[in-house]
Amino acid sequence: MSATKTNIFITGATGYIGGSVFQRLVTHPNAANFDITALIRSPEKAKFVKEKFGVNVVEGSNADLDKLTQLAEQADIVLNVADSDDLAAANALIQGLKNRHDKTGVKPTLIHTSGTGFLVDDARGMFATDKIYHDSKPEEIENGVPDSALHRNVDLAVIDADRKGWVRGLIISPPTIFGMGSGPLFDSGLVNKHSLQIPLLIKTSLARGKGAGVVGEGKSIWNHVHIDDVADSYIVLLDAVLKDADAVPHGREGIYLLEAGEHTWYDVSKAVGKAFVELGLAKSDEPVPFTEEDLQTYIGSTFMGYLALGSNARGRAEQIRALGWKPKYTTSDLYALIKPEVEVHARAVKAVA
C-alpha cells in the first residue's frame, strides 16, 4: 500500500455486494489516487482480479484474523463487505485501525456492511407494522432495537470503537436487495450475481413444486433497493469522507439505511407466481402459503424462513440521501426484474434434474 495515495482495503470484493462496490472503486474518477488492496479467498478469483483490475490482492479469508489486522493497519479506509455477522473479523479490522491510529494520530475510517435485518419482528407474514425507523434519529434505533437483534452485536462493536476515538465508523444497512450483479467481475462466471431474499423465495417455491410460496398471508413489509444503487451508496460515503471526513455523521449517528421503496411479501410472491405461469411452471399465480415443514425442508430453518420472507423491516434512508445518494431504480423495477430471476433459477433446477 502506498503512503502517497489513499490506501483502501476491501473485504468481500468477489461477493454480490462487495463485487459491485469493488468495480465502482476501480472505475472511480479518482481511482488513480487510490491504492486498493482486496482480500480474496479463492486462488482462482484472486488471480482473475489481480490480472483484470491490477489491484493488490492478498489471498485469505475472514478467518485469517492476523491478516485482517495487518491489512487494516495499512489502510486509510476499510470497506468491510464480507460478512455482516462476523464479529471476530470486525474486531480484527478494528484492532488494525486502532494500531494505525495509535501510530499516526490520524483517525482511519471503517465502512461496515450491516443490513436492516436488525429491524425485523416476528410477524410471520400475518401483519404489517407501522413502525418505521429513521436513520437520522439514532435514538429510535437505540430505544427500539435490542442488542440481541440480528447484526447488532457487530454494529455495536463498530460504534464502540468510534466512541473510543480509534475509528470513524460508518455502517451501511441495505434492506431487500434486488437485481443481478453486472460488469466484468460478474461476467467472469466466478462471482455470485444473485441476492438472498427474492432468490430464496423463488428457489424454495421451485423446490416445493406447488407454485409460488408465501409466508403466512404475506402482509409484512420490507424496504428494497437495487444492487447498483447499493454499490453507489458506498461511493457516496467514500467521496464524502475524502472531501471532509469530520463532516460525515459517524458512530451512533453513522448508521446509513438504504431504501428506494417498499413491498409486501404477498406482492413479491404474486409476481413470482405470475412469472411461474408465464414460464409454464405453474397453472395459477396465487401464492400458496409455506408450511413450517416446507420452510424446514427447503430452507433448512423455520427461523430463517420467517425472518427472510415473513418479517417486517421498515426504515427511511435520510442520512445517505442528505449526502447526495439518489437511487435510480424504483419499486416497478423490483417487480419487472423478478421474471429474469425466475428464469435463471428455473434453468438451474432443470439442469440438475
Side-chain angles (χ1 to χ4, degrees), residues 8-22 25 39 62 68 78-86 89-90 93 110-114 170 172 174 177 227 230-231 233-234:
I8 300 174
F9 172 44
I10 181 170
T11 67
T14 56
Y16 173 64
I17 300 176
S20 301
V21 174
F22 173 76
L25 274 181
L39 182 70
N62 266 18
L68 287 174
V78 171
L79 301 175
N80 184 25
V81 205
D83 184 344
S84 57
D85 295 312
D86 193 333
L93 293 171
L110 171 60
I111 301 178
H112 170 71
T113 306
S114 181
L170 313 175
I172 294 183
I177 305 175
I227 181 59
V230 173
S233 74
Y234 286 79

Side-chain angles (χ1 to χ4, degrees), residues 302-321:
T302 55
F303 169 78
M304 182 54 66
Y306 287 139
L307 185 151
L309 304 176
S311 59
N312 291 285
R314 305 179 70 185
R316 293 294 179 264
E318 296 175 340
Q319 301 235 94
I320 194 74
R321 282 189 169 89

Side-chain angles (χ1 to χ4, degrees), residues 212-325:
V214 66
V215 170
E217 297 178 7
K219 292 180 177 179
S220 307
I221 298 173
W222 269 63
N223 296 114
H224 49 252
V225 64
H226 191 277
I227 181 59
D228 289 349
D229 291 324
V230 173
D232 288 345
S233 74
Y234 286 79
I235 303 305
V236 168
L237 267 187
L238 174 68
D239 288 346
V241 168
L242 292 174
K243 180 180 179 181
D244 185 358
D246 291 334
V248 179
H250 57 91
R252 67 180 290 269
E253 298 176 347
I255 294 177
Y256 294 83
L257 302 180
L258 302 181
E259 47 81 18
E262 293 185 322
H263 61 268
T264 68
W265 285 111
Y266 175 84
D267 287 342
V268 171
S269 293
K270 185 74 170 181
V272 171
K274 288 179 180 178
F276 276 18
V277 171
E278 291 172 8
L279 295 169
L281 299 169
K283 294 181 179 180
S284 170
D285 62 9
E286 186 61 29
V288 177
F290 292 120
T291 65
E292 286 201 347
E293 184 179 357
D294 289 337
L295 298 178
Q296 185 64 47
T297 300
Y298 301 111
I299 296 179
S301 163
T302 55
F303 169 78
M304 182 54 66
Y306 287 139
L307 185 151
L309 304 176
S311 59
N312 291 285
R314 305 179 70 185
R316 293 294 179 264
E318 296 175 340
Q319 301 235 94
I320 194 74
R321 282 189 169 89
L323 294 176
W325 180 69

Side-chain angles (χ1 to χ4, degrees), residues 38-239:
L39 182 70
I40 299 175
R41 179 173 52 201
S42 158
E44 183 182 15
K45 294 178 183 179
K47 182 174 183 292
F48 175 81
V49 168
K50 187 172 183 62
E51 293 178 353
K52 179 70 176 178
F53 300 102
V55 301
N56 307 308
V57 175
V58 177
E59 288 187 28
S61 73
N62 266 18
D64 299 314
L65 300 181
D66 291 343
K67 198 171 287 187
L68 287 174
T69 297
Q70 177 187 3
L71 293 168
E73 186 173 335
Q74 299 173 42
D76 300 299
I77 299 172
V78 171
L79 301 175
N80 184 25
V81 205
D83 184 344
S84 57
D85 295 312
D86 193 333
L87 180 60
N91 281 333
L93 293 171
I94 289 168
Q95 182 61 52
L97 293 170
K98 178 181 183 298
N99 294 347
R100 183 175 184 82
H101 176 263
D102 290 347
K103 291 177 181 179
T104 67
V106 177
K107 186 184 296 185
T109 296
L110 171 60
I111 301 178
H112 170 71
T113 306
S114 181
T116 58
F118 69 84
L119 301 180
V120 300
D121 58 17
D122 191 30
R124 304 190 182 193
M126 299 308 293
F127 62 87
T129 185
D130 58 3
K131 178 62 178 177
I132 299 175
Y133 291 88
H134 302 80
D135 61 6
S136 63
K137 301 175 181 177
E139 66 277 5
E140 287 187 357
I141 294 174
E142 290 168 348
N143 296 333
V145 176
D147 291 354
S148 59
L150 188 67
H151 312 319
R152 189 67 174 153
N153 60 332
V154 184
D155 293 356
L156 289 172
V158 174
I159 292 169
D160 184 59
D162 181 282
R163 182 181 58 79
K164 291 174 178 175
W166 307 330
V167 174
R168 182 178 295 102
L170 313 175
I171 300 170
I172 294 183
S173 296
T176 297
I177 305 175
F178 68 94
M180 298 183 209
S182 60
L185 193 57
F186 296 95
D187 293 341
S188 71
L190 297 173
V191 177
N192 168 51
K193 61 172 63 177
H194 300 283
S195 187
L196 171 63
Q197 286 166 289
I198 293 174
L200 177 66
L201 172 62
I202 292 167
K203 290 185 286 187
T204 304
S205 298
L206 288 169
R208 186 184 62 168
K210 297 180 181 178
V214 66
V215 170
E217 297 178 7
K219 292 180 177 179
S220 307
I221 298 173
W222 269 63
N223 296 114
H224 49 252
V225 64
H226 191 277
I227 181 59
D228 289 349
D229 291 324
V230 173
D232 288 345
S233 74
Y234 286 79
I235 303 305
V236 168
L237 267 187
L238 174 68
D239 288 346

